[in-house]
Amino acid sequence: MSTNGAQSSPGYSMGPHTLRVPMELFALNRRRLCEALRPRVPDGAVVLLQGGDEVPLYCTDVSYNEFKQEAFFQWLCGVQEVGCFVALRVSDGRCVVFVPRLPAEYAVWMGKLRTLEEFKSKYAVEETAFVDEIPAVLQSLGATELLVLRGVNSDSGLTCKAASFDGIDKFKVDYSTLHPIISECRVIKTPLELEVIRYVVRVSSEAHVRVMKSVVPGMMEYQAEAVFRHYVYQHGGCRHVSYTCICCSGNNGAVLHYGHGGAPNDCGVMDGDMCLFDMGANYYGYASDITCSFPVNGKFTADQRLIYNAVLKANLAVMNAAKPGVSWVDMHRLANRVMLGEMAAGGLLKGDVDDMLKAGLGAVFQPHGLGHFMGLDVHDVGGYLDKDPPRPTEPGVSKLRTARVLQPGMVLTIEPGCYFVDHLLDAALADPVKSKFLVADQIARFRNFGGVRIEDDVLITETGCEDLTKVPRSVEEIEKTMKEKEGGVEIPSHITKVKHGLPSNWHH
């Protein structure tokens, strides 16, 4: 890992205890993009991307959370400031960063204004200029055609914001070429990108272990979230998390994206429940995404062990099978096959596993896809580009965020899960095809169980799959780790002694 110290080349870090990210990472990204574009675009083509702007909190003069740069822009130049643009001449890779021309009084509120030369040095680019100089600078670059970003994100369904500036109508603009090519570049990570991803996954892994050692019956879900967020910022310099933290306990574990505004990790963590904590830190834009499931009291019951081991075996089966040339769709089906087989062996299901898969039973217990690309977005781009296999249509598999064949350099999550969702169980029990596989009285025992998800961040290598996540995974490892308590959240005695009169949302 790189260390922060006396460095001659520009780079980013959050202090001597954190990873130093060299600006060469972004220079390499620019070279890769130019190489991919040159055979497809005319001489004089210039890529133009627009960075992010701060978003006001409704009608107030306060911004919505801390600013986080737009991911395509970040990938190309690493610029952190708001309101910027970047131009990249495809023929030779010359890069120009444009920054806003700010009034002098800005310095009173926001600090000293950097000069253009200081921006040039900070980001190691060939040229810097002000945003109001974009037309003149593009002319000096010999721009005959602007390649701007417009494409649909296959996860959100939203369209990328194409760069726009006063005077763009004087240029020929190509809105279609850039998006699929830059997205494909982002799918395959460089060694420098992988160093950042390894770092943020390691920090997040350590934070999950700290949470395991801190959880005690009677605390609140948000207190576990606070332990995680404190650790990744204090010890890893990670100001951001990559998504809303999902801190479920008990039946909340059956809510896939728990933690939203209507259920903000606000329930009590009770003795006998399972925790499902899905949290990932973010460092200089790069994401991590890890889920750990474990019993609140540190000791698995027989039922908890049954479901947990079914999910773990599915996770490990994919980990052992994932390699270049393998279809991600086949990996999803493998996970379902293993998990359903283990549930049948445990007495919850009956019948032939192949028939269960044909009936779509996997989607009853795992209604989401096996995993997704990860990089500068937690659900990273490139899942369904036009050249790739289309989205499958069968139940459960249709939720996959990509159907691609695996390649070296891809980073994905492997996250099988098993959940007991009332309305899905009710529908399956009422279905004449699915119900014949369900042992109804055994399934009833798992009502209010919640769920188990085991999510690892992995790299596809030349020969297989490398797990970047470093957390306890076996039942035995988890139980051993949870015995090593590390200053868990202190629960006031007036809460631990209360038997009645708790707020209605304190438990599930």
Side-chain angles (χ1 to χ4, degrees), residues 150-460:
R150 180 179 289 170
V152 176
N153 184 301
S154 59
D155 291 304
S156 67
L158 301 176
T159 301
C160 299
K161 179 182 177 180
S164 181
F165 61 91
D166 290 340
I168 194 172
D169 56 317
K170 304 295 192 298
F171 295 85
K172 180 181 179 182
V173 181
D174 179 337
Y175 289 96
S176 61
T177 300
L178 180 60
H179 182 264
I181 294 175
I182 194 172
S183 296
E184 183 65 19
C185 287
R186 282 180 56 183
V187 169
I188 306 300
K189 273 56 178 182
T190 67
L192 289 174
E193 288 184 292
L194 290 173
E195 186 175 8
V196 187
I197 293 172
R198 287 180 192 280
Y199 173 79
V200 72
V201 173
R202 177 179 65 77
V203 170
S204 294
S205 297
E206 293 170 357
H208 271 281
V209 174
R210 177 63 60 88
V211 171
M212 277 187 192
K213 294 179 178 182
S214 301
V215 165
V216 292
M219 69 189 292
M220 302 295 286
E221 292 164 338
Y222 66 78
Q223 291 177 307
E225 176 185 3
V227 171
F228 180 89
R229 293 178 71 115
H230 173 78
Y231 187 96
V232 298
Y233 203 177
Q234 172 81 8
H235 297 277
C238 300
R239 191 179 194 192
H240 297 98
V241 289
S242 296
Y243 50 94
T244 301
C245 291
I246 300 169
C247 295
C248 319
S249 61
N251 197 41
N252 296 334
V255 182
L256 298 186
H257 283 175
Y258 186 76
H260 58 80
N265 297 329
D266 62 345
C267 287
V269 176
M270 304 302 290
D271 196 353
D273 282 348
M274 282 289 288
C275 293
L276 188 162
F277 290 167
D278 183 341
M279 300 178 282
N282 188 289
Y283 189 75
Y284 204 22
Y286 282 89
S288 60
D289 186 0
I290 299 171
T291 306
C292 294
S293 300
F294 53 88
V296 172
N297 60 19
K299 187 69 176 177
F300 284 83
T301 66
D303 283 348
Q304 289 170 346
R305 183 183 292 258
L306 168 63
I307 301 305
Y308 185 88
N309 279 335
V311 177
L312 180 60
K313 288 182 179 179
N315 175 285
L316 294 175
V318 174
M319 200 88 67
N320 290 329
K323 61 182 179 180
V326 169
S327 164
W328 192 238
V329 175
D330 289 344
M331 294 297 91
H332 179 96
R333 293 188 178 119
L334 171 63
N336 275 349
R337 176 182 297 279
V338 171
M339 191 174 73
L340 293 174
E342 290 297 313
M343 294 174 71
L348 277 71
L349 306 176
K350 59 186 178 182
D352 183 77
V353 173
D354 284 334
D355 292 338
M356 295 179 195
L357 291 169
K358 291 175 185 175
L361 194 67
V364 174
F365 297 100
Q366 182 183 288
H368 61 75
L370 173 65
H372 50 80
F373 288 139
M374 189 186 79
L376 281 168
D377 291 312
V378 66
H379 296 158
D380 216 16
V381 295
Y384 290 102
L385 300 176
D386 288 344
K387 66 180 182 57
D388 298 318
R391 187 184 294 274
T393 57
E394 63 190 90
V397 187
S398 64
K399 302 299 183 182
L400 276 173
R401 296 183 186 272
T402 187
R404 291 180 62 160
V405 171
L406 299 180
Q407 297 174 247
M410 289 178 169
V411 174
L412 305 98
T413 65
I414 296 176
E415 50 177 304
C418 181
Y419 316 88
F420 295 87
V421 183
D422 283 339
H423 78 271
L424 295 180
L425 293 174
D426 292 340
L429 287 166
D431 185 306
V433 176
K434 294 185 177 71
S435 62
K436 66 182 181 181
F437 301 111
L438 304 176
V439 182
D441 59 336
Q442 297 299 310
I443 294 292
R445 193 170 82 242
F446 287 84
R447 299 278 188 168
N448 300 317
F449 178 92
V452 167
R453 179 161 66 252
I454 300 175
E455 180 177 17
D456 291 300
D457 303 334
V458 304
L459 165 67
I460 304 303

